[in-house]
Short mmCIF file of all heavy atoms in Angstrom, two decimals:
data_model
loop_
_atom_site.label_atom_id
_atom_site.label_comp_id
_atom_site.label_asym_id
_atom_site.label_seq_id
_atom_site.Cartn_x
_atom_site.Cartn_y
_atom_site.Cartn_z
N VAL A 1597 85.13 111.23 61.14
CA VAL A 1597 85.45 109.97 60.47
C VAL A 1597 86.60 110.08 59.51
O VAL A 1597 87.44 109.13 59.42
CB VAL A 1597 84.20 109.45 59.70
CG1 VAL A 1597 84.42 108.19 58.95
CG2 VAL A 1597 82.99 109.22 60.72
N GLN A 1598 86.73 111.23 58.88
CA GLN A 1598 87.85 111.46 57.97
C GLN A 1598 89.19 111.43 58.77
O GLN A 1598 90.15 110.73 58.35
CB GLN A 1598 87.76 112.84 57.33
CG GLN A 1598 88.92 113.30 56.45
CD GLN A 1598 88.81 112.67 55.05
OE1 GLN A 1598 89.11 111.51 54.89
NE2 GLN A 1598 88.40 113.47 54.07
N GLY A 1599 89.18 112.05 59.90
CA GLY A 1599 90.36 112.02 60.77
C GLY A 1599 90.69 110.61 61.26
O GLY A 1599 91.83 110.24 61.39
N GLN A 1600 89.67 109.85 61.58
CA GLN A 1600 89.83 108.48 61.96
C GLN A 1600 90.50 107.62 60.89
O GLN A 1600 91.38 106.80 61.20
CB GLN A 1600 88.47 107.87 62.41
CG GLN A 1600 88.59 106.52 63.08
CD GLN A 1600 87.19 105.95 63.38
OE1 GLN A 1600 86.40 105.72 62.51
NE2 GLN A 1600 86.91 105.79 64.66
N ILE A 1601 90.09 107.81 59.63
CA ILE A 1601 90.67 107.05 58.54
C ILE A 1601 92.19 107.41 58.41
O ILE A 1601 93.02 106.55 58.18
CB ILE A 1601 89.91 107.35 57.22
CG1 ILE A 1601 88.52 106.75 57.30
CG2 ILE A 1601 90.68 106.84 56.04
CD1 ILE A 1601 87.69 107.09 56.04
N VAL A 1602 92.49 108.71 58.51
CA VAL A 1602 93.89 109.14 58.33
C VAL A 1602 94.70 108.59 59.46
O VAL A 1602 95.81 108.03 59.25
CB VAL A 1602 93.99 110.70 58.38
CG1 VAL A 1602 95.40 111.14 58.39
CG2 VAL A 1602 93.30 111.24 57.13
N GLU A 1603 94.23 108.60 60.75
CA GLU A 1603 94.93 108.05 61.83
C GLU A 1603 95.16 106.54 61.68
O GLU A 1603 96.19 106.00 62.05
CB GLU A 1603 94.22 108.39 63.17
CG GLU A 1603 94.29 109.78 63.59
CD GLU A 1603 95.69 110.32 63.77
OE1 GLU A 1603 96.55 109.56 64.29
OE2 GLU A 1603 95.98 111.46 63.42
N GLN A 1604 94.15 105.87 61.15
CA GLN A 1604 94.27 104.42 60.93
C GLN A 1604 95.37 104.17 59.86
O GLN A 1604 96.16 103.25 59.98
CB GLN A 1604 92.96 103.87 60.43
CG GLN A 1604 92.90 102.33 60.37
CD GLN A 1604 93.04 101.70 61.72
OE1 GLN A 1604 92.55 102.21 62.75
NE2 GLN A 1604 93.72 100.55 61.79
N ALA A 1605 95.37 104.96 58.80
CA ALA A 1605 96.41 104.80 57.78
C ALA A 1605 97.79 105.08 58.33
O ALA A 1605 98.77 104.40 57.97
CB ALA A 1605 96.14 105.73 56.57
N ILE A 1606 97.93 106.05 59.25
CA ILE A 1606 99.21 106.32 59.90
C ILE A 1606 99.65 105.12 60.75
O ILE A 1606 100.76 104.66 60.73
CB ILE A 1606 99.10 107.61 60.75
CG1 ILE A 1606 98.85 108.81 59.85
CG2 ILE A 1606 100.39 107.75 61.61
CD1 ILE A 1606 98.65 110.09 60.66
N GLU A 1607 98.64 104.60 61.53
CA GLU A 1607 98.95 103.46 62.43
C GLU A 1607 99.36 102.23 61.66
O GLU A 1607 100.25 101.45 62.09
CB GLU A 1607 97.71 103.17 63.24
CG GLU A 1607 97.91 102.08 64.30
CD GLU A 1607 96.64 101.82 65.12
OE1 GLU A 1607 95.82 102.76 65.23
OE2 GLU A 1607 96.47 100.67 65.62
N GLU A 1608 98.80 101.99 60.47
CA GLU A 1608 99.16 100.87 59.66
C GLU A 1608 100.37 101.10 58.82
O GLU A 1608 100.70 100.19 58.00
CB GLU A 1608 97.92 100.47 58.82
CG GLU A 1608 96.73 100.00 59.62
CD GLU A 1608 95.56 99.62 58.74
OE1 GLU A 1608 95.77 99.23 57.61
OE2 GLU A 1608 94.40 99.67 59.26
N GLY A 1609 100.97 102.26 58.88
CA GLY A 1609 102.25 102.49 58.21
C GLY A 1609 102.17 102.94 56.79
O GLY A 1609 103.11 102.89 56.01
N PHE A 1610 100.95 103.40 56.36
CA PHE A 1610 100.77 103.82 54.96
C PHE A 1610 101.12 105.31 54.73
O PHE A 1610 101.28 105.75 53.61
CB PHE A 1610 99.31 103.56 54.53
CG PHE A 1610 98.92 102.16 54.56
CD1 PHE A 1610 97.76 101.73 55.17
CD2 PHE A 1610 99.76 101.16 54.02
CE1 PHE A 1610 97.36 100.42 55.20
CE2 PHE A 1610 99.38 99.82 54.06
CZ PHE A 1610 98.19 99.46 54.66
N ILE A 1611 101.18 106.07 55.83
CA ILE A 1611 101.52 107.48 55.75
C ILE A 1611 102.81 107.78 56.51
O ILE A 1611 102.84 107.76 57.75
CB ILE A 1611 100.37 108.38 56.30
CG1 ILE A 1611 99.07 108.17 55.54
CG2 ILE A 1611 100.73 109.83 56.25
CD1 ILE A 1611 97.88 108.90 56.09
#
Side-chain angles (χ1 to χ4, degrees):
V1597 176
Q1598 178 82 282
Q1600 188 183 63
I1601 291 176
V1602 173
E1603 289 300 323
Q1604 189 64 37
I1606 294 172
E1607 184 179 334
E1608 295 181 26
F1610 299 131
I1611 300 178

